[in-house]
Amino acid sequence: MWLEQIEALQAALAAYPWAYRLIVAAALVLAAWLANWITKRVLLRGLRRVLHAASLRTGDHEVKLTVIPRLANVIPALILSAGVVAVPGLPEWLIATVHNVCSAFIVLTIALAISHALDLVNVAWQRRPDANSKPIKGYLQLVKIVMFVLATVLMVAIVSDRSPLILLTGMGAMSAVLLLVFKDTILSLVASVQLSNNDMLRVGDWIEMPSLDADGDVVDIALNTVKVQNWDKTITTIPTYRLISESFKNWRGMSESGGRRIKRSLLLDQKSVRFLTADERTNLRRIALIDDYLDAQRGELEHYNTTLQAAGKDAINNRRATNLGTFRAYVTAYLRAHPGVNQEMTLMVRQLEPGPTGVPMQVYCFSADVGWVAYENLAGDIFDHLLAILPEFGLRVFQGSSDAPLRVSITDRSVAHDSDHSHDRHDRHDSQDHSTKALAKP
C-alpha cells in the first residue's frame, strides 16, 4: 500500500522532479528525527528506572548522565546514512559526503557516550568507603584522552576517505611534538600512579605546600591537577607532578593518631626562681594536685640531708625544693588530670636552655580532639591557667619591658635639675674662692 502511494506521488510530480526530491529528503529527515525522539523517550525512561533501582545519587539529586541520549543519536545518523541513496537525483559525491559525515558523527557520538560512561564509573567508585585513598579520576581522564585522540584520527580518516593507518604513520613523525605538548600530562600520569600506589595523598587530607601557598584540605585529585581548599576558602591548584618533585606535609597521620601536639613554652623570669621556705611549702599543700609530690619530695630531701649531716657536711650542701621545680610538678599533674589531654601519648613538662628572654618552660603534650577549634581552645585554656597560677609559686613571666614601676614625673625632674644647678653654682663659687685666696698669697 505504501509503495503504491509513493509511486502515485512520484507520477503526480513527474513534471517537477525537484519537488519530489525535496519531499523525499524531508521525509528522510523527519524519519530520522522521529526515530531519535522515540528512542530517547523509551531509553531515558528505562535509564531512570535503572538509576532508582541502583540508588546512584549524589547528595539529594539523581546522577544526571547523557550516556543513553548520546547513543540514541546513532540511530538517526544510521537512517540518514542508509536512506540518502533513496533520494533521487543526488550526485555521487554528495551521497558519499553525507555517508562519511554520518559515519564520523557516529564515531564522535560513541566516544562521547563512553566518556559519560566513565563519569558514571567514577561516581560509582566514589561511593566506595576506600574511594578517597584510591582515586581513579586521573586514570579515567587518561583513558578519555587516548579515546578522543583515536576518535579524532578515525573521524579525519572517514571524512577524508583515507585509511587510518596512513594518518597514524604520519603521526609517527609528530611524536616528538606530541611528547612536548603532552609533557605535563605524561609527568602527571606517572605522579598519579606514585601517589596512588604509595598512598601519599587522599581526598580530604590536610596538606601544606608553602612553595605554592597551599595550606588546607584536598578537595579533588585529577590527572593534571590537585585542588586544595585553603583555610581562607581560596582554592590552590597544584600540578600533580609537583607533589612528587617537591616536598609537602600531609597531616593525615596526626588526624588518624587521635592526638594533636601542643608544644608551647612559658618564658619565666630567671630572677624569680628561688628556693622555697618551709612556710611556702606548707602553703602550697592547699593545691591538691601536688600533695603526693610534696610528701614524696619532703621524705627524699630529709633522708638525703640527714645523711649529709651525719657525715659532717656543711648545710650548704643540703638539697632544697625550688619554686620552679615544684611548678613543673604541678603542671605535669595538671595535664595528667585534664580530660582534654590525650593520656596515651607523650606528655612532659621540660625546662629548656635559659637565654636572654628568660627560662623557657615547655609544655609538650597531645590534645584528645584533633579538631582545630577544640585544639586551640584547649591550648588557650591550659596556658591561661598556668599564667594565672604562676604567682602562687612566686614566679613571674619574662617580658620585653620591665614590670618595675617607673615613678619619674616632671616635678621630680625639675627638682633634680634645680639640685644639679645649685651644685654647679656651689662648685663654681668654691673654685672662685680658692682662686682669690691663691692670688692673695705673697
Side-chain angles (χ1 to χ4, degrees):
M1 179 176 179
W2 287 99
L3 293 177
E4 295 176 356
Q5 292 179 354
I6 293 175
E7 291 176 356
L9 179 61
Q10 185 177 6
L13 297 175
Y16 307 98
W18 61 269
Y20 179 72
R21 188 182 305 119
L22 182 61
I23 291 174
V24 174
L28 180 62
V29 173
L30 180 61
W33 180 82
L34 287 175
N36 185 38
W37 183 79
I38 293 173
T39 304
K40 287 184 178 180
R41 289 285 298 230
V42 175
L43 294 180
L44 282 179
R45 185 174 299 175
L47 175 63
R48 291 190 183 95
R49 292 178 180 177
V50 171
L51 289 175
H52 282 291
S55 299
L56 290 176
R57 297 177 177 273
T58 302
D60 297 329
H61 304 282
E62 291 186 359
V63 178
K64 295 181 178 180
L65 301 173
T66 56
V67 178
I68 292 184
R70 291 288 182 184
L71 291 177
N73 293 330
V74 174
I75 297 177
L78 292 175
I79 293 176
L80 291 175
S81 179
V84 68
V85 296
V87 180
L90 291 180
E92 292 295 332
W93 66 268
L94 183 58
I95 295 176
T97 300
V98 172
H99 179 75
N100 291 341
V101 170
C102 290
S103 299
F105 178 76
I106 291 173
V107 172
L108 176 62
T109 300
I110 294 175
L112 292 175
I114 295 175
S115 175
H116 290 295
L118 294 176
D119 292 338
L120 176 60
V121 171
N122 187 47
V123 172
W125 181 266
Q126 289 179 348
R127 294 170 55 86
R128 294 166 55 94
D130 58 343
N132 288 341
S133 61
K134 298 179 180 179
I136 63 171
K137 186 175 181 179
Y139 302 107
L140 296 180
Q141 287 181 335
L142 178 63
V143 173
K144 287 182 182 181
I145 292 174
V146 175
M147 179 187 64
F148 280 114
V149 169
L150 295 178
T152 302
V153 172
L154 287 176
M155 290 170 61
V156 173
I158 291 173
V159 172
S160 61
D161 201 13
R162 300 283 183 177
S163 172
L165 296 178
I166 297 177
L167 295 177
L168 292 175
T169 303
M171 289 180 62
M174 300 176 60
S175 59
V177 178
L178 292 176
L179 289 176
L180 181 62
V181 172
F182 293 102
K183 179 191 68 173
D184 291 344
T185 302
I186 296 173
L187 292 176
S188 297
L189 172 62
V190 176
S192 296
V193 173
Q194 293 180 347
L195 290 173
S196 178
N197 290 341
N198 298 326
D199 196 18
M200 298 171 61
L201 194 66
R202 302 177 188 173
V203 174
D205 285 353
W206 169 20
I207 68 171
E208 284 187 46
M209 199 169 185
S211 60
L212 297 179
D213 293 329
D215 183 9
D217 292 333
V218 177
V219 295
D220 183 62
I221 301 177
L223 176 62
N224 293 319
T225 58
V226 173
K227 292 183 179 179
V228 177
Q229 185 177 44
N230 300 312
W231 300 124
D232 58 0
K233 300 306 178 183
T234 58
I235 301 294
T236 298
T237 302
I238 304 174
T240 306
Y241 67 88
R242 294 284 294 271
L243 295 171
I244 297 297
S245 60
E246 299 179 18
S247 62
F248 69 96
K249 181 186 292 186
N250 192 329
W251 289 82
R252 187 203 315 158
M254 179 272 296
S255 301
E256 294 179 348
S257 67
R260 187 169 180 176
R261 188 181 67 177
I262 299 175
K263 185 181 178 183
R264 299 185 185 181
S265 299
L266 281 176
L267 298 178
L268 303 179
D269 191 346
Q270 300 180 60
K271 295 180 180 179
S272 65
V273 180
R274 56 181 174 77
F275 293 115
L276 290 175
T277 64
D279 292 338
E280 288 175 333
R281 294 185 60 187
T282 302
N283 187 44
L284 287 175
R285 295 186 62 85
R286 298 180 295 111
I287 304 176
L289 290 175
I290 56 175
D291 277 348
D292 294 339
Y293 169 80
L294 292 175
D295 291 339
Q297 187 191 52
R298 179 181 179 181
E300 178 183 351
L301 295 180
E302 288 181 350
H303 175 73
Y304 181 85
N305 295 335
T306 301
T307 304
L308 283 179
Q309 292 175 4
K313 300 296 183 180
D314 191 271
I316 192 65
N317 298 303
N318 289 351
R319 288 177 54 189
R320 289 178 285 178
T322 62
N323 56 350
L324 180 55
T326 307
F327 181 64
R328 288 205 317 270
Y330 169 78
V331 176
T332 302
Y334 175 77
L335 296 176
R336 290 293 182 190
H338 201 294
V341 177
N342 192 323
Q343 305 298 329
E344 303 298 326
M345 306 183 76
T346 305
L347 190 158
M348 65 177 173
V349 180
R350 58 177 181 169
Q351 178 180 326
L352 303 181
E353 183 178 358
T357 57
V359 182
M361 194 200 70
Q362 186 183 82
V363 173
Y364 192 102
C365 63
F366 290 81
S367 65
D369 191 337
V370 298
W372 189 7
V373 176
Y375 164 79
E376 293 294 346
N377 287 337
L378 174 64
D381 290 342
I382 290 175
F383 280 86
D384 289 347
H385 177 79
L386 298 185
L387 288 170
I389 205 170
L390 270 177
E392 295 289 336
F393 295 85
L395 293 168
R396 296 190 307 268
V397 293
F398 183 90
Q399 295 184 159
S401 59
S402 175
D403 57 354
L406 297 176
R407 297 188 179 91
V408 178
S409 63
I410 298 177
T411 305
D412 295 335
R413 296 184 62 183
S414 62
V415 172
H417 183 70
D418 293 342
S419 177
D420 293 339
H421 277 289
S422 64
H423 284 297
D424 291 340
R425 289 195 300 268
H426 180 71
D427 292 340
R428 288 197 299 270
H429 180 71
D430 290 342
S431 62
Q432 290 176 358
D433 291 343
H434 286 294
S435 299
T436 302
K437 291 179 180 179
L439 292 175
K441 289 181 180 180

